[in-house]
Amino acid sequence: MTKEKILVIGASGQIGVELTLALREIYGNNNVVASDLREENPLLKGSGPYVSLDVMNKEMLHVQVIRQNITQIYLLAAILSATGEKNPGLAWHLNMQGLLNVLDIAREEHIHKVYWPSSIAVFGPTSPKQHCPQQTIIEPTTVYGISKYAGEFWCNYYHMKYGVDIRSIRYPGLISYKSAPGGGTTDYAVEIFHDALEDKKYTCFLSEDTYLPMMYMPDAIRATIELMEAPAEKISIRTSYNVTGISFSPKEIAAEIKKHMPEFEMAYSPDYRQGIADSWPQSIDDTVARNDWGWKHEYDLPAMTEDMLKHLPETPE
Ligand code: NAD
């Protein structure tokens, strides 16, 4: 078997930190190069190589891929849904050009595998609200959703036309305690734990009955690695796979936290992110991922809440 050398772009972000650490466990510390525009996340320090890299600088990226003998690329650098609505031009530019730079280099350098996440944000108000299927009406209304949907078709194109082995998941909102979320509409489900532990109260920027698809980070990391390790012939979707974990509302997660912390209080003050949340499905159907590569989530709302409340206080800010 060829020795793999992995480049993670956007390694200092919410997913990047945990994915880099998980990949280092599997492939060895020195075979996973972390990179980001911002400084190395403290949780990564000392665990393996780090390079400062701007995915928009194609030449610099190309040089690093050659210099480090990279065989797999995980592209996580992006501008997320809520931040994207504040600066649509920048979100489109980074989310598209960053991906095209990686796809071009992957093609030229015969990179073995590329991973790039899409999002449930591809779905829009005309998509089914419940158990939204893999193939359905997709008319996104945020710039983030538009960029992800376009990106999915670029991935499919590079696979069909140039044989690039690119794999992708439409992540739901991700909940984690190790690194902070990066400006998404589902960030409330992480903030709530921080504020519950610090102040015993939280004011939510979504209304109490806003159901959204979510997933606990250990499930998301496992889904990513299982997809990337699946034999190529099992991968029938080269746009991006629906995967699902848990669907809940702010009211339900507050009630779950109250079981551990009866004094916890929740208030609601919906802002512009309510409109984004209302455009998305409330739950996702991931039958295709389950059938193709055996995906199955483990964490439900009670298990995730218990684990977050246990580990968050031990995690350095
Ligand atoms: P994040 O914002 O926490 O991390 C992104 C990282 O990319 C940051 O560390 C940032 O510094 C880096 N970055 C930004 N511009 C860069 C550039 N030009 N060059 C190099 N690095 C740059 O985001 P995340 O939550 O870790 O998301 C990672 C991926 O997963 C994104 O594609 C995102 O759209 C997708 N996703 C995330 C979620 C979620 O809930 N977190 C849900 C769906 C999809």
Side-chain angles (χ1 to χ4, degrees):
M1 198 176 89
T2 327
K3 200 171 148 209
E4 299 292 344
K5 184 99 184 270
I6 297 173
L7 177 66
V8 182
I9 304 170
S12 292
Q14 189 194 7
I15 303 170
V17 168
E18 299 207 34
L19 191 56
T20 302
L21 293 172
L23 290 168
R24 283 181 175 162
E25 287 267 314
I26 298 169
Y27 292 94
N29 286 350
N30 289 333
N31 296 323
V32 181
V33 181
S35 73
D36 206 290
L37 194 57
R38 57 174 150 152
E39 60 186 20
E40 186 177 19
N41 187 296
L43 293 167
L44 292 179
K45 280 209 167 104
S47 74
Y50 175 83
V51 292
S52 175
L53 190 148
D54 181 354
V55 72
M56 301 301 279
N57 186 336
K58 192 174 175 186
E59 265 174 51
M60 191 170 94
L61 175 63
H62 204 154
V63 166
Q64 283 296 346
V65 166
I66 294 170
R67 190 182 287 162
Q68 307 266 359
N69 296 313
I70 296 300
T71 63
Q72 294 189 22
I73 300 175
Y74 285 66
L75 170 58
L76 305 172
I79 289 184
L80 274 68
S81 58
T83 314
E85 289 312 287
K86 290 189 175 152
N87 197 339
L90 183 67
W92 175 257
H93 190 50
L94 173 64
N95 295 0
M96 280 297 90
Q97 199 54 51
L99 174 61
L100 288 170
N101 288 349
V102 168
L103 289 174
D104 267 344
I105 292 168
R107 173 189 162 204
E108 282 171 43
E109 298 305 327
H110 306 288
I111 293 298
H112 299 164
K113 283 181 205 171
V114 178
Y115 180 75
W116 169 84
S118 182
S119 161
I120 55 145
V122 295
F123 300 117
T126 49
S127 305
K129 283 275 170 228
Q130 305 297 341
H131 308 293
C132 188
Q134 178 72 45
Q135 263 119 11
T136 186
I137 298 171
I138 300 190
E139 296 177 329
T141 49
T142 61
V143 69
Y144 177 67
I146 300 168
S147 73
K148 287 294 184 188
Y149 201 39
E152 289 188 6
F153 282 95
W154 275 118
C155 292
N156 194 48
Y157 183 85
Y158 270 71
H159 175 69
M160 284 189 327
K161 187 138 187 179
Y162 307 120
V164 176
D165 187 352
I166 172 142
R167 304 175 183 201
S168 176
I169 286 174
R170 290 172 179 155
Y171 289 133
L174 300 180
I175 299 157
S176 64
Y177 58 86
K178 283 193 186 155
S179 43
T185 304
T186 51
D187 289 6
Y188 90 83
V190 179
E191 288 173 7
I192 192 173
F193 287 101
H194 286 268
D195 285 21
L197 288 164
E198 276 162 33
D199 305 327
K200 311 219 177 313
K201 57 178 194 256
Y202 177 63
T203 302
C204 184
F205 57 75
L206 298 179
S207 64
E208 61 178 13
D209 289 322
T210 310
Y211 279 84
L212 285 172
M214 301 277 190
M215 185 178 274
Y216 196 33
M217 189 61 89
D219 272 343
I221 299 299
R222 192 169 52 80
T224 307
I225 290 170
E226 285 179 8
L227 170 65
M228 289 299 276
E229 291 191 341
E233 62 273 16
K234 298 250 184 209
I235 311 296
S236 70
I237 301 291
R238 292 295 182 164
T239 49
S240 189
Y241 276 101
N242 279 11
V243 296
T244 193
I246 333 162
S247 275
F248 57 80
S249 64
K251 191 160 95 184
E252 285 179 354
I253 191 173
E256 198 57 45
I257 291 173
K258 261 178 179 289
K259 286 184 193 165
H260 300 262
M261 209 185 264
E263 67 280 29
F264 175 69
E265 281 174 27
M266 181 91 147
Y268 299 91
S269 177
D271 64 15
Y272 71 100
R273 289 169 280 194
Q274 185 68 46
I276 303 177
D278 288 342
S279 76
W280 292 347
Q282 298 182 347
S283 63
I284 300 287
D285 180 325
D286 61 359
T287 310
V288 182
R290 286 173 192 258
N291 289 343
D292 280 7
W293 44 279
W295 168 244
K296 196 173 183 318
H297 75 276
E298 274 175 15
Y299 283 87
D300 59 8
L301 180 58
M304 184 271 290
T305 305
E306 195 178 328
D307 208 59
M308 281 293 285
L309 290 172
K310 184 174 160 207
H311 290 294
L312 195 53
E314 306 158 359
T315 312
E317 284 289 311

